[in-house]
Amino acid sequence: MPVSSTTPNLDANLAVALDALLTEQSVTRAAARLHTSPAAMSRTLARLRRVLQDPLLVRAGQAMVPTPRAEALRDEATAVVRRLEALLTPSGGIDLAALRRTFTVQAADLVGAALAPGLLGRARRQAPGVSLRILAEEWEAGPALREGRIDLEIGAIDHVDPETRVEELVTLRMAAGVRSGHPLTEGTLTPARLAAAEHVTVSRRGRFTGPLDAALAEQGLSRRVSTVLPGHLAAMTLAAVGDVVCLVPTALPGEPPSPLTDPAHALGLRLLDIPLPLPPLTIGMAWHPRHTADGAHHWLRGAVRRTLRPTCEE
């Protein structure tokens, strides 16, 4: 539909000037409020009078008083300016107490178990209207992030699209988790004794082998994997009640404890140093760049960072 030739050009500055003039009821004070000159504000008032076809402010002795039309417009002008301010304010200034939003995070079960208490605690204190949905690693992260099905992927990030933003959070090492009283808790743990024990591995794809097998093969050793499970929590539970060994991520020497190790401690597992060079495990978070400047998403990333990296400042 063509725009009528009588429709005035839309100008947000006119709305701001109208709000200042109707609030101050003075060209001079309105000019000072908007950091302009009285002459420029007088020209703006003249333009507003033409656009609205009303004098708006008229002289009454030494003062200016609003016309009935101006009185009717005052509240609406203020509301429009407030909406403009909200629209054009950087999202970093978000009011967390008023935030109502559900965040969806995709993570392995162990990462989710480590995240949930810390994220929930921070949400209760800072953003009580926030809800969290933590999903298993069921989607390919790139398309899921791009399409908005998830807000964050957290874990070992090794399959991202070029535009995906990634931040490394913490680097861990793998330890051998066994029940209290397991034969491996007695004496020195050697590669041969570790290989001779019964093992449970974790693989979403059902694989029996991993980095530990490659390290044992360098020593001419191989291990027996009796069970493959899809999640670390299930593997730790099995190790807590039987004579099987599971791998547990734990902090590097000299680093503060990692919350990813908390479930193993809760199950009473003993963590033994593995006498073999294993590659470290780096946990990171990935998100789509459209969320980078979003204030609510910025809060979420900070909450994840502080939960998985306890030394990070609040």
Side-chain angles (χ1 to χ4, degrees):
M1 178 183 295
V3 178
S4 169
S5 60
T6 61
T7 301
N9 292 330
L10 297 177
D11 187 343
N13 291 324
L14 281 182
V16 174
L18 178 62
D19 176 50
L21 285 163
L22 298 186
T23 299
E24 301 294 344
Q25 296 184 25
S26 164
V27 170
T28 302
R29 290 196 299 271
R33 176 173 171 171
L34 299 183
H35 307 287
T36 189
S37 68
M41 185 56 68
S42 291
R43 291 192 293 271
T44 301
L45 176 57
R47 185 180 173 192
L48 283 165
R49 285 166 169 166
R50 290 194 301 271
V51 169
L52 297 173
Q53 300 180 14
D54 187 271
L56 298 174
L57 294 172
V58 296
R59 182 69 58 185
Q62 297 299 314
M64 298 189 78
V65 295
T67 65
R69 177 80 190 281
E71 291 278 12
L73 289 173
R74 181 184 297 166
D75 290 345
E76 182 61 25
T78 298
V80 167
V81 171
R82 298 297 175 269
R83 288 196 292 271
L84 283 170
E85 289 174 347
L87 178 66
L88 299 177
T89 296
S91 59
I94 189 170
D95 182 359
L96 290 174
L99 180 63
R100 300 291 182 271
R101 187 156 164 183
T102 297
F103 290 111
T104 301
V105 175
Q106 179 165 289
D109 63 340
L110 187 59
V111 177
L115 274 175
L119 283 182
L120 182 59
R122 284 181 168 81
R124 284 172 174 166
R125 293 192 304 271
Q126 302 169 0
V130 162
S131 299
L132 302 169
R133 179 190 295 118
I134 299 180
L135 301 179
E137 299 170 295
E138 55 184 298
W139 286 322
E140 185 180 348
L145 289 168
R146 189 186 316 118
E147 296 164 13
R149 286 177 285 168
I150 60 176
D151 295 290
L152 277 179
E153 181 194 16
I154 304 173
I157 310 297
D158 57 2
H159 50 271
V160 297
D161 292 336
E163 77 272 15
T164 301
R165 303 291 177 87
V166 178
E167 177 183 337
E168 293 185 356
L169 296 170
V170 63
T171 298
L172 306 168
R173 63 189 175 98
M174 303 307 290
V178 296
R179 68 171 179 83
S180 180
H182 189 285
L184 290 184
T185 62
E186 300 294 331
T188 302
L189 180 61
T190 63
R193 291 186 69 204
L194 181 62
E198 183 180 348
H199 290 254
V200 55
T201 67
V202 176
S203 171
R204 289 186 297 128
R205 297 175 177 85
R207 295 173 179 167
F208 278 79
T209 59
L212 178 56
D213 298 280
L216 287 170
E218 290 288 329
Q219 304 289 320
L221 300 169
S222 63
R223 62 174 176 161
R224 175 176 176 257
V225 175
S226 62
T227 310
V228 179
L229 293 172
H232 286 86
L233 294 179
M236 290 180 187
T237 301
L238 183 60
V241 298
D243 283 342
V244 296
V245 180
C246 69
L247 295 183
V248 177
T250 189
L252 295 174
E255 293 294 322
S258 169
L260 271 74
T261 315
D262 289 348
H265 292 316
L267 288 167
L269 291 180
R270 293 277 303 275
L271 301 185
L272 310 177
D273 289 336
I274 295 176
L276 293 164
L278 295 180
L281 171 66
T282 298
I283 301 295
M285 60 179 168
W287 68 94
H288 194 274
R290 70 174 178 276
H291 293 307
T292 297
D294 175 58
H297 201 278
H298 184 269
W299 171 85
L300 173 66
R301 298 195 304 273
V304 169
R305 187 181 303 116
R306 294 178 183 101
T307 297
L308 293 184
R309 200 166 66 206
T311 56
C312 184
E313 294 182 2
E314 287 284 357

